[in-house]
Amino acid sequence: MKLFINFSFVLLFIATSFANNITNNLIKLPKHFKTEKTFSGDLNDNESFHLIFSKNKQNKMYTIHPFLFNGKEITEINPFENNEELNIISFHKKNNILTLLLSYKEKKKDFLKRVNIDLVTKKITESTPTNHEDFSAVIRNKNNSILLYKEDDKISINKYDGDDKKEDYSFELKKYSPYEDFFKNEGINPIKNDEFIANGSVASLRVYFEDNKLIFTKDDYKKNYTKLFSFNLDSKENNQLSSIEKHYIYTKENLKKLTSFYKNKKLYLFGNNKKNGIIKIYDLKSNNSKDINLDASLISKIQGNDNFEGFKDFLKQAGKNKHKTTITANATTNNNIKVRVDYVDANYSYNYNWWWHHQQFMMMQHQMMMRQVNFSTPGGFGPVQPNDFHFKSYLIKKEKRYFELVINQNNDLLDTNEETIYKEINKEKYIDKLEDISDLKKESSCFLKDSFRYIGYSRTLKAFTIMTNKLK
């Protein structure tokens, strides 16, 4: 906390003359650039990249200024321009090539531009813009990005792998087919699997990426089942779909809620009402399944939450309309799985891309400040916008309401607690600390292996600086 609050005062001792863009690890753009926002992303355990978005007041072009930071020195890369304002959709790195996927709107149409930055030679290559209409979701992996486009009659998939040629796939949603009903009136919510997941999505329709396959799932609590099918990106015929499977929770009790999570060819389901709950694990490879009923026999096996008050209270709260249930599965260092069951506020929204979440949060904070300036009475805020619900849930301090169970590869319950491969990070805590720095604006941040890194514009120094804080 002290590091965050005091850093701007420390910087006051740094020289503030700017002969070039970078002096003493401070970045100052020429005066004819009006800064709009920033963006930060991780490259590896210690290195990050940072983008400053601006508008050139001389030629009216929108400009992106890229910078690299290794924790000690800032490296500048030549900026690139566009006629229209750019927004980042995804990024990934492969073979020392950083790929940025950037969208923009021109004449009421959406376009996507791919920009490759060679991190060794610093050479920038821009692709010919492509159509970006009907964009639905993005799956961002470390070395590739997969974009999904949803139309009434088909799903299109574009895979960007390093700086290789873009691969295109699609499958039709034929009328009266199960796939048409599967996607009808539903947005696609992607789920990230290469980090610790505390609470998964509460959306009905989800997509996972595993073994170069897209796995789509859809929950139906009224019928007590989850539908699943996969699309293989290795298939030579691009339109081959697996058949839709239905995985049921069988119970005498009527379930009020149902949620699921997919990992390593297993589907984890949790169904409950206010008095009863059941976890069902389907092994899609062996077609075996296992039921775990929430009862007193499980209490000794509960892990990860010393404040857990028992299943009676948990189910009573989880069954309320103001709450939604979640289930996740995180791999442990002993090659087992830690299953976490939780409930969240009804306005909670899982967001796959942390960096997008952070910057939207910062934008919301700025808008709220502007509203407070513009309106003098409590009634001046007007009706709540849809996005406000998303961020209100983000601001709520979460209590430890969850319980965890450790299971082995045969789905047997274990008595020992185990560390997960990916560590749980309280990202809200670091954002809160960033908010304490009143001298900063236009911040963006990213998480590295052991640190939190961010860029921001110092009002005092009239320059951008990049800072790093250790994760605790």
Side-chain angles (χ1 to χ4, degrees), residues 40 45 87 122 141 188 207 218 239 268-269 287 331 412 456:
S40 300
D45 289 350
N87 293 291
K122 309 302 185 290
N141 302 303
I188 304 174
V207 61
K218 188 175 183 180
N239 60 350
Y268 300 81
L269 278 69
N287 289 322
D412 298 320

Side-chain angles (χ1 to χ4, degrees), residues 75-101:
T75 301
E76 181 182 6
I77 294 176
N78 288 332
F80 55 93
E81 298 180 320
N82 196 63
N83 288 325
E84 304 295 334
E85 184 177 9
L86 294 164
N87 293 291
I88 191 155
I89 297 296
S90 186
F91 68 91
H92 57 267
K93 176 197 168 191
K94 184 178 180 181
N95 298 330
N96 288 317
I97 301 294
L98 171 63
T99 297
L100 306 176
L101 299 179

